[in-house]
Amino acid sequence: MSTTRPVAVTGHGPASVGRHLRVLPDTGPGGSVPYVRTAAGEVPVEASGAGTGDRASHAMTTP
């Protein structure tokens, strides 16, 4: 699985995305790994001015 699309969608670096993608084979076909920004994760995001106050969530899914 390529990191190109997840990097473009999430804005995270290729190395970070690659580490997260390593867990997908364990989920099986059509499996997903959900990601939700926690309240603790909101603190630096809001402090940077990048957050909207809504918690970001997304999932990476196996083909």
Side-chain angles (χ1 to χ4, degrees), residues 46-57:
E46 289 180 7
S48 73
T52 62
D54 295 328
R55 289 190 180 156
S57 66

Side-chain angles (χ1 to χ4, degrees), residues 34-54:
Y35 292 87
V36 177
R37 192 167 57 223
T38 64
E42 284 294 315
V43 174
V45 172
E46 289 180 7
S48 73
T52 62
D54 295 328

Side-chain angles (χ1 to χ4, degrees), residues 4 6-7 23 34 36-37 46 61:
T4 304
V7 166
V23 302
V36 177
R37 192 167 57 223
E46 289 180 7
T61 306

Side-chain angles (χ1 to χ4, degrees), residues 2-4 6-7 10-22 60:
S2 169
T3 60
T4 304
V7 166
T10 65
H12 297 291
S16 177
V17 169
R19 285 191 296 274
H20 290 276
L21 290 177
R22 284 191 199 112
M60 291 186 181

